[in-house]
C-alpha cells in the first residue's frame, strides 16, 4: 500500500485527530526500536529468549532509557546481560539518540551551520532538545574519520594532480591568524577525480611540500604524470626531487592574475590582451614570440610582470607539449578552484575557527558533501585516456 492509498484508506478513520495519529506512529517507532534491541541481544548471546544454552552469560532484565529520534523522545526498554558486555549497535551505551538524528546534525554541520543554529533547527524540526555540548561531541567523532581517510591507501599512479590552498582565519594563542588548508586532487586512470588529502599549514616552504609528497608516497603513491599548481613556494622544486619524471605545469590563470597586480588600471585591458596572445598561441614557439612582443611593449613600465613570465617560462608552457584535450585540463587549476569555491560556500558562516581541528573538520565534511557527486569520468575521457596511453605508455604499463 503506497502513501496515497494509505491516506485514502479506512485506516486513518480510527484516529480522531492528528495528535492521535502522531501518538500511534510514536508508539510504533518505540516498539520497533525495542524489538531491534531484543534481536541484537539474541545475536549477542547466540540463542533466542526462552531457549536453553551453554553460554554462561544470560539476559538480566530490562533497563529504562530515554532516547531522541527524528520523531521525538522515546522512553524505551533496553535489554541487559549479566556480564554487562552487551553494547547494542542501534543505541550504544551512554548514547541517547539514534543514528538518524546524529546524521542530521553532522549534515547540518557539514553545510556550515554553527552549533547554536543546529540546536535551534533540531528543536524546531523535531521538538527535541539537544544541547550544544552534545552537538559538539557528535561532530568531534569526525576526527577519527579524518585520520582514517587521511591515511587510506592511494592509487600507485595518478595521471594529473592539482594542488591549491584555501586560507582560513584560525585562533591561536589568543590571536586570530591566517592558516591555509592545502588540497590535492588526483585524476585516476578511470577518469574520475579523487581528493587525495588535506594538509593544514602556516607557511608554504620546500620542507612543508616535502612532507606532503612523502605522506602521499607512504600511502602507496608512486608516480604523477603531470602536476598543476599555482607556483606555490618551493613546490615545483620539491616535485622535481620526489617525482623527477613528472611534468610540472604552473597555472596560467594564476600567472595572469599575479602579473596584472603590477599594472595600473588604465593599462590593464591592453596588457591582458597582449598576455592572451601567449597562452592562446598554437605552439610554444608562437607563445614565446608573443612574450617577446609583450616585453617590447611593456617592459619599460612593468618589467617585474614580464620577469615573472620569463622566470617560470618552462613550467608555464608545459601544456603546449600535449594535445588540445589535455591542454584544456592542465593549463589551469580550475578543477581544484571549483572545489575550493564550494568549500567556501559550506564554511562561509564561520568568521574564524577556534582550533586547527575545527577548521579541518569543517573542510573535511564540506569535501565529503561536494565529492558525493563525483561519480562520472571527466568529459571526453575515452579520447583523453588514449592520448595519455600514447604519450606515457611505458610508465602506465608499470601500474
Amino acid at each position: 500500500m503506497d502513501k496515497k492509498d494509505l491516506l485514502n484508506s479506512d485506516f486513518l478513520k480510527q484516529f480522531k485527530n492528528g495528535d492521535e495519529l502522531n501518538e500511534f506512529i510514536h508508539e510504533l517507532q518505540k516498539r520497533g526500536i525495542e524489538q531491534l534491541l531484543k534481536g541484537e541481544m539474541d545475536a549477542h548471546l547466540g540463542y533466542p529468549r526462552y531457549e536453553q544454552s551453554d553460554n554462561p552469560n544470560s539476559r538480566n532484565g530490562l533497563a529504562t532509557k530515554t532516547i531522541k529520534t527524528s520523531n521525538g523522545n522515546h522512553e524505551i526498554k533496553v535489554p541487559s546481560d549479566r556480564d554487562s558486555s552487551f553494547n547494542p549497535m542501534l543505541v550504544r551505551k551512554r548514547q541517547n539518540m539514534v543514528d538518524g538524528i546524529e546524521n542530521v546534525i553532522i549534515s547540518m554541520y557539514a553545510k556550515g551551520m554553527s552549533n547554536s543554529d543546529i540546536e535551534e533547527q533540531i528543536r524546531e524540526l523535531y521538538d527535541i532538545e539537544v544541547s550544544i555540548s552534545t552537538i559538539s561531541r557528535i561532530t568531534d567523532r569526525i576526527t577519527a574519520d579524518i585520520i582514517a581517510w587521511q591515511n587510506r591507501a592511494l592509487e600507485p599512479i595518478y595521471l594529473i594532480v592539482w594542488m591549491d590552498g584555501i586560507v582560513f582565519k584560525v585562533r591561536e594563542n589568543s590571536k586570530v591568524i591566517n592558516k591555509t588548508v592545502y588540497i590535492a586532487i588526483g585524476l585516476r586512470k578511470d577518469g574520475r577525480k579523487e581528493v587525495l588529502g588535506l594538509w593544514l599549514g602556516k607557511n608554504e616552504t620546500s620542507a612543508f611540500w616535502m612532507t606532503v609528497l612523502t605522506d602521499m608516497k607512504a600511502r602507496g603513491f608512486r608516480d604523477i604524470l603531470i602536476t598543476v599548481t599555482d607556483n606555490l613556494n618551493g613546490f615545483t622544486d620539491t616535485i622535481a626531487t620526489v617525482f623527477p619524471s613528472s611534468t610540472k605545469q604552473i597555472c596560467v590563470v594564476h600567472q595572469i592574475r599575479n602579473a596584472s597586480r603590477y599594472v595600473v588600471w588604465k593599462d590593464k585591458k591592453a596588457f591582458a590582451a597582449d598576455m592572451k596572445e601567449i597562452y592562446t598561441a598554437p605552439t610554444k614557439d608562437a607563445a614565446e614570440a608573443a612574450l617577446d612582443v609583450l616585453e617590447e611593449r611593456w617592459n619599460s613600465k612593468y618589467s617585474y610582470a614580464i620577469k615573472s613570465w620569463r622566470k617560470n617560462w618552462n613550467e608555464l608552457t608545459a601544456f603546449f607539449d600535449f594535445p588540445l584535450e589535455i591542454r584544456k585540463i592542465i593549463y589551469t587549476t580550475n578543477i581544484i578552484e571549483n572545489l575550493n569555491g564550494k568549500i567556501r560556500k559550506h564554511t562561509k558562516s564561520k568568521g574564524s575557527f577556534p582550533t586547527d581541528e575545527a577548521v579541518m573538520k569543517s573542510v573535511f565534511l564540506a569535501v565529503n558533501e561536494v565529492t558525493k557527486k563525483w561519480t562520472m569520468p571527466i568529459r571526453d575521457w575515452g579520447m583523453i585516456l588514449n592520448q595519455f596511453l600514447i604519450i606515457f605508455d611505458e610508465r602506465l604499463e608499470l601500474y
Side-chain angles (χ1 to χ4, degrees):
M1 181 181 292
D2 62 24
K3 185 177 180 181
K4 185 177 179 181
D5 292 335
L6 178 64
L7 292 173
N8 292 332
S9 70
D10 293 334
F11 171 77
L12 295 180
K13 294 179 181 177
Q14 62 184 294
F15 303 107
K16 295 179 181 178
N17 51 47
D19 289 340
E20 284 194 5
L21 176 59
N22 286 334
E23 187 177 342
F24 171 79
I25 293 172
H26 189 277
E27 183 65 24
L28 196 64
Q29 187 175 32
K30 173 191 169 184
R31 291 183 183 181
I33 292 170
E34 289 177 339
Q35 290 302 313
L36 287 171
L37 290 172
K38 289 177 182 178
E40 284 199 58
M41 176 60 85
D42 290 347
H44 175 68
L45 296 175
Y47 66 96
R49 190 176 178 83
Y50 305 121
E51 285 193 8
Q52 298 295 319
S53 171
D54 295 332
N55 189 344
N57 190 18
S58 61
R59 292 169 180 79
N60 190 30
L62 300 169
T64 301
K65 183 174 186 175
T66 300
I67 62 168
K68 298 175 173 65
T69 75
S70 57
N71 196 38
N73 292 344
H74 294 287
E75 189 174 273
I76 60 170
K77 302 293 184 181
V78 181
S80 57
D81 57 345
R82 291 197 180 278
D83 64 11
S84 300
S85 60
F86 179 54
N87 187 12
M89 295 291 292
L90 184 63
V91 185
R92 291 191 174 277
K93 289 180 179 178
R94 294 175 293 278
Q95 179 181 333
N96 67 345
M97 62 179 65
V98 296
D99 287 343
I101 288 295
E102 292 198 359
N103 290 339
V104 169
I105 289 171
I106 290 172
S107 178
M108 288 179 175
Y109 189 88
K111 290 176 170 59
M113 293 179 65
S114 66
N115 288 354
S116 58
D117 288 339
I118 293 171
E119 178 195 32
E120 184 179 346
Q121 282 282 64
I122 294 294
R123 184 171 61 250
E124 290 179 359
L125 288 172
Y126 304 117
D127 195 25
I128 295 173
E129 294 292 337
V130 181
S131 68
I132 290 178
S133 61
T134 298
I135 293 168
S136 182
R137 283 198 301 272
I138 291 169
T139 58
D140 281 346
R141 295 174 196 164
I142 298 160
T143 303
D145 294 337
I146 295 174
I147 293 170
W149 177 81
Q150 189 73 8
N151 289 282
R152 76 195 189 283
L154 297 176
E155 300 273 329
I157 188 170
Y158 288 86
L159 308 190
I160 306 170
V161 171
W162 297 267
M163 293 201 73
D164 201 1
I166 317 178
V167 178
F168 294 96
K169 294 190 178 300
V170 185
R171 185 168 293 278
E172 183 176 277
N173 298 327
S174 302
K175 293 182 179 180
V176 175
I177 63 172
N178 287 337
K179 290 191 177 182
T180 303
V181 176
Y182 297 97
I183 304 174
I185 297 177
L187 182 66
R188 304 189 317 218
K189 289 189 292 182
D190 61 3
R192 289 176 171 82
K193 297 172 293 181
E194 176 187 357
V195 176
L196 306 180
L198 303 170
W199 298 268
L200 183 66
K202 288 184 187 177
N203 303 305
E204 304 166 26
T205 63
S206 297
F208 174 80
W209 288 117
M210 182 65 76
T211 301
V212 170
L213 295 175
T214 303
D215 170 50
M216 291 197 287
K217 287 196 79 170
R219 292 158 59 198
F221 202 138
R222 293 294 173 264
D223 198 4
I224 312 171
L225 300 184
I226 304 170
T227 61
V228 186
T229 71
D230 68 343
N231 198 22
L232 300 168
N233 186 27
F235 190 45
T236 51
D237 292 337
T238 308
I239 294 170
T241 302
V242 183
F243 297 103
S245 300
S246 296
T247 299
K248 294 165 283 295
Q249 171 67 49
I250 291 176
C251 174
V252 174
V253 173
H254 278 85
Q255 170 60 24
I256 293 166
R257 291 175 188 161
N258 292 336
S260 297
R261 287 165 48 200
Y262 306 103
V263 180
V264 298
W265 177 254
K266 68 183 182 66
D267 291 334
K268 278 188 184 293
K269 187 174 181 180
F271 192 86
D274 286 341
M275 283 196 296
K276 186 175 180 180
E277 296 297 319
I278 300 172
Y279 60 88
T280 59
T283 66
K284 189 171 183 177
D285 288 341
E288 192 158 10
L291 178 58
D292 291 339
V293 172
L294 182 76
E295 184 171 16
E296 184 180 339
R297 291 180 180 174
W298 299 103
N299 193 57
S300 60
K301 294 179 72 173
Y302 307 117
S303 60
Y304 196 88
I306 307 300
K307 190 182 295 183
S308 67
W309 278 96
R310 293 288 186 195
K311 181 181 178 182
N312 302 299
W313 183 248
N314 289 334
E315 288 79 16
L316 284 167
T317 57
F319 70 96
F320 282 112
D321 295 333
F322 298 95
L324 186 60
E325 289 75 19
I326 296 179
R327 289 186 193 185
K328 289 179 180 178
I329 56 175
I330 68 169
Y331 89 99
T332 173
T333 55
N334 275 353
I335 283 179
I336 201 165
E337 287 198 31
N338 182 264
L339 172 64
N340 290 352
K342 290 175 180 175
I343 291 171
R344 284 286 188 205
K345 184 178 179 181
H346 282 284
T347 58
K348 65 182 179 181
S349 63
K350 314 278 189 181
S352 63
F353 291 87
T355 62
D356 290 354
E357 187 179 64
V359 69
M360 289 297 285
K361 282 197 304 183
S362 290
V363 174
F364 171 74
L365 288 170
V367 166
N368 272 356
E369 286 288 307
V370 174
T371 56
K372 285 176 184 177
K373 299 178 181 178
W374 289 8
T375 57
M376 299 294 290
I378 65 173
R379 189 174 180 180
D380 299 325
W381 177 241
M383 182 188 302
I384 293 170
L385 178 60
N386 277 313
Q387 292 169 351
F388 271 106
L389 289 171
I390 292 169
I391 299 168
F392 298 101
D393 181 35
E394 292 183 2
R395 287 165 68 184
L396 286 170
E397 278 189 1
L398 292 175
Y399 306 102

